[in-house]
Amino acid sequence: MTIKLRDGKQLNVRRAGNGIPLVMIHGFGGYQQIWTNQWPLVDQLSLMGISYDLRGHGASSRDPHLTKIRTLIDDLAELIQAYQLDRPILMGHSMGASIIYGLMQLYPEIDLRGVIAIDQSPKMISSPTWAYGYCGATRANYRLLLQTRGNVSETYQGLDPKVLNQLAIVKAQFSFDLREYLSLLYDHARQDWRAGLVTTTTPTLLVTGQYSPYFNGDFAEALKTQNASLQHVVVRQSGHCPMAEQPAIFNEVISNFLQSLD
């Protein structure tokens, strides 16, 4: 199914179930099929699952003017309103997590039941007081690092075959050109969403990969020193995509968190 946005662009959406809403948001250059192994969890916990392709990604509308992450944050707010979601749970990976961070900070009136943020530092550029940027990125080199993706593999031992198969299908239909959306990637990297995380009272789980090539998971521990209500779990034997690399372990972690929510 699709929903039409304020500017006429459309989001390709998958929606199933009738319970508490769980919205799943993929990262930059990704596809909603990255959540292939989380849909059984939606059924198991009797949730309403919603995943979608970000604008400019997958089967959603292309947008040559997409240069700001704020646009994607506004899209998420509009999706929540369009489906009249009551206290949804938001789960985002990589830039998808930053979209959630931004929503928490820019749309405080949207009441969230819980947040799950996967392998994404809220500040991607390192500084003298923040050592947890993307591959150690600084203001001097972050553009180059983002263009090359750090010249590293995103995963530790590869993705689960089910996810790989689904991604192969959609990649063949809807290719993604990194160069087309570099301005968006740079804008994403320049944001600092820490203020929202250190003040939030929304139950928030930060999930990091033991062998993430992009982020030192200690960023989550640093945030916990400022907000003791934040939770942090490291998924072992995983890189940047724990939900698709170690789905059984990840799903157990998420199931425990979801069942702890009111």
Side-chain angles (χ1 to χ4, degrees):
M1 70 179 67
T2 61
I3 64 170
K4 183 175 287 188
L5 299 169
R6 60 205 172 277
D7 59 356
K9 301 296 185 184
Q10 293 187 332
L11 297 182
N12 182 57
V13 181
R14 176 180 178 182
R15 179 184 179 188
N18 298 297
I20 293 170
L22 170 66
V23 183
M24 297 173 277
I25 308 150
H26 68 77
F28 179 83
Y31 302 80
Q32 62 177 301
Q33 284 73 16
I34 198 70
W35 305 111
T36 294
N37 285 312
Q38 280 62 64
W39 279 100
L41 188 63
V42 169
D43 292 336
Q44 176 188 330
L45 298 179
S46 299
L47 302 170
M48 176 199 295
I50 298 173
S51 67
Y52 67 100
D53 292 319
L54 300 173
R55 73 162 69 203
H57 294 69
S60 291
S61 296
R62 316 309 286 178
D63 186 352
H65 304 295
L66 177 58
T67 61
K68 304 292 184 183
I69 193 172
R70 175 64 190 260
T71 302
L72 303 178
I73 296 167
D74 292 343
D75 287 351
L76 174 57
E78 193 167 346
L79 180 146
I80 292 171
Q81 182 180 27
Y83 286 128
Q84 298 182 324
L85 302 182
D86 180 28
R87 299 189 65 221
I89 302 161
L90 304 182
M91 178 164 67
H93 170 239
S94 197
M95 186 177 72
S98 285
I99 291 169
I100 297 172
Y101 297 155
L103 185 92
M104 295 166 73
Q105 195 160 309
L106 299 172
Y107 286 89
E109 70 276 12
I110 295 180
D111 188 14
L112 302 176
R113 189 180 303 267
V115 162
I116 302 162
I118 306 163
D119 212 57
Q120 178 63 56
S121 170
K123 185 177 188 299
M124 290 180 62
I125 296 177
S126 298
S127 69
T129 58
W130 182 257
Y132 309 109
Y134 174 91
C135 296
T138 65
R139 288 192 175 276
N141 68 4
Y142 78 95
R143 290 176 179 249
L144 178 61
L145 285 173
L146 290 169
Q147 289 176 36
T148 62
R149 297 290 185 99
N151 288 320
V152 295
S153 172
E154 279 197 350
T155 67
Y156 179 56
Q157 294 179 320
L159 298 180
D160 178 81
K162 290 182 181 178
V163 178
L164 277 176
N165 290 339
Q166 292 299 310
L167 288 176
I169 294 170
V170 293
K171 285 181 178 181
Q173 294 178 288
F174 309 104
S175 61
F176 181 84
D177 187 348
L178 169 70
R179 296 166 298 179
E180 187 177 355
Y181 293 108
L182 275 175
S183 294
L184 169 64
L185 191 58
Y186 297 154
D187 183 68
H188 162 42
R190 287 192 292 267
Q191 306 307 311
D192 182 354
W193 303 115
R194 291 177 295 174
L197 282 173
V198 300
T199 58
T200 187
T201 57
T202 298
T204 299
L205 174 63
L206 304 173
V207 179
T208 57
Q210 181 183 13
Y211 297 111
S212 172
Y214 296 146
F215 297 110
N216 179 344
D218 286 346
F219 78 82
E221 296 300 317
L223 292 168
K224 283 178 61 179
T225 65
Q226 300 180 70
N227 185 345
S229 70
L230 297 175
Q231 301 177 49
H232 176 213
V233 173
V234 180
V235 176
R236 304 294 175 185
Q237 304 298 303
S238 173
H240 183 54
C241 307
M243 69 286 186
E245 296 180 58
Q246 296 291 344
I249 297 172
F250 177 86
N251 283 0
E252 182 178 2
V253 168
I254 299 310
S255 178
N256 290 338
F257 175 73
L258 294 179
Q259 292 181 81
S260 73
L261 303 176
D262 60 31

